[in-house]
Amino acid sequence: MRRSSGVLILVFAAVLMGSLLFGGWRAGESLMLSQTISEGRTVADMAENVGRWASQYGGVHVRTQGATAKLPGTFLTRSVFALSGDDASVLNGARTQDRQDERGAMERVEAYHWKNPALIQREVSDTLAASGSRSQYRLTAQSVLNRNNAPNAFEVEAIKAIQASFDKLPPAVTQAVAKGDMSTLPPQEYWRVENGRLLYARAVMAQSSCLKCHDSPNTAPAFLRTNEQFNGGGGFGYVAGKPAGVISVTVPLQDVGGVLQAGLPPIVIAAFAVAALAALGLIGVALGGLFRQPSKKK
């Protein structure tokens, strides 16, 4: 009878110990994933707000000075200005006896290169990647103007999943979104874990302002049709109020042990430790009872 009681204590103690370890580890994994998804959402928020900031100005013009100045990356249009009437005359071919006048006019000329919100968002993304930031993002769509923005396998998967989710929304919600009211639109997002990183995607909803460039090739501005960099075979057919693409974010997963240590209050960690010690104590008592030699009666 004593031996069977010891076996039961051993079994219960082992179950308690296993439950504590399994529950604690799964709690850590859940907390870690929750924190990483929150970080992915924060990065997507930042990318969206960069676009909103640029949109309120219709994009941004980057200034360069001098005819030989380095081009400021990708841009849509460029406007060149002379700083004075005399400089304009020289640059337009007016004769001058002083070659220094020509060189000075060339050095003073100013150019303004227009970057729309999407280009600004992409350049911020490139800066994050170059800096080695742990969290990075990019903008992409099912079809793109710039071949360098083509979606990878996860992004294609995310675009399809988000579109399928959007198509299931009630008509009242989609109609409100088409009118610019996003208040009733639930989060349009998708994620999965792969190779120790969280892959997160959030829908980019097409706005009426997007249709100026992304409605159809026939109505697109000339600078898109003639610029080789923006002839990627797609990037048209946007519909206001519907998903046009995604903000794709990658975030490395943290160590579960570190997340538990940083995320759980000390009192909770202490409680787990006491419970684990109690379970170990029960296992020790049970093993001691099982292997103790029975005393011989005189």
Side-chain angles (χ1 to χ4, degrees):
M1 187 69 179
R2 183 179 297 175
R3 184 176 183 84
S4 62
S5 299
V7 171
L8 286 175
I9 293 174
L10 180 61
V11 170
F12 288 141
V15 170
L16 175 60
M17 188 67 180
S19 298
L20 285 170
L21 292 174
F22 179 76
W25 187 260
R26 290 306 299 268
E29 285 185 329
S30 178
L31 182 61
M32 176 267 294
L33 183 59
S34 176
Q35 289 183 352
T36 309
I37 291 173
S38 178
E39 185 174 347
R41 287 170 175 157
T42 299
V43 174
D45 287 343
M46 183 269 293
E48 283 187 341
N49 286 321
V50 167
R52 290 193 185 101
W53 171 81
S55 294
Q56 66 183 336
Y57 304 113
V60 172
H61 283 85
V62 179
R63 171 184 173 272
T64 60
Q65 186 169 18
T68 59
K70 182 180 178 181
L71 294 178
T74 306
F75 54 91
L76 297 180
T77 62
R78 176 173 60 182
S79 301
V80 181
F81 299 92
L83 293 185
S84 68
D86 290 340
D87 284 352
S89 297
V90 171
L91 294 174
N92 284 328
R95 293 189 176 185
T96 176
Q97 300 300 320
D98 189 351
R99 303 296 295 179
Q100 186 67 28
D101 291 344
E102 295 181 5
R103 288 193 293 269
M106 295 290 285
E107 291 173 359
R108 288 188 293 270
V109 68
E110 290 186 346
Y112 292 85
H113 307 78
W114 177 50
K115 297 175 183 286
N116 69 350
L119 279 179
I120 295 167
Q121 287 172 307
R122 198 198 74 194
E123 291 195 4
V124 173
S125 166
D126 293 342
T127 300
L128 282 174
S131 70
S133 172
R134 58 178 261 108
S135 302
Q136 300 180 10
Y137 80 89
R138 65 192 298 263
L139 271 69
T140 185
Q142 186 67 47
S143 65
V144 294
L145 290 170
N146 188 333
R147 296 180 183 88
N148 295 328
N149 298 331
N152 58 31
F154 163 74
E155 291 159 350
V156 171
E157 177 185 318
I159 290 168
K160 292 180 178 178
I162 288 173
Q163 184 63 58
S165 174
F166 184 84
D167 290 341
K168 295 178 182 177
L169 293 174
V173 174
T174 56
Q175 290 170 8
V177 172
K179 295 177 181 178
D181 180 9
M182 301 290 181
S183 61
T184 59
L185 181 67
Q188 300 297 294
E189 57 185 5
Y190 179 83
W191 69 79
R192 64 179 167 86
V193 174
E194 181 180 285
N195 298 327
R197 297 185 71 87
L198 172 73
L199 307 181
Y200 173 89
R202 177 187 294 175
V204 175
M205 307 300 293
Q207 308 295 320
S208 299
S209 59
C210 302
L211 304 186
K212 179 180 178 181
C213 294
H214 295 281
D215 184 10
S216 72
N218 295 331
T219 59
F223 58 75
L224 285 181
R225 297 194 301 269
T226 58
N227 191 328
E228 177 63 26
Q229 191 169 14
F230 299 115
N231 292 324
F236 300 105
Y238 285 21
V239 178
K242 291 188 176 182
V246 295
I247 299 172
S248 177
V249 181
T250 63
V251 185
L253 298 176
Q254 301 181 51
D255 175 67
V256 174
V259 169
L260 282 173
Q261 186 176 1
L264 292 179
I267 189 66
V268 175
I269 297 176
F272 268 106
V274 169
L277 288 174
L280 287 174
L282 285 174
I283 292 174
V285 170
L287 289 175
L290 288 175
F291 293 103
R292 185 181 300 118
Q293 293 294 330
S295 59
K296 295 182 179 180
K297 295 183 178 179
K298 294 183 179 180

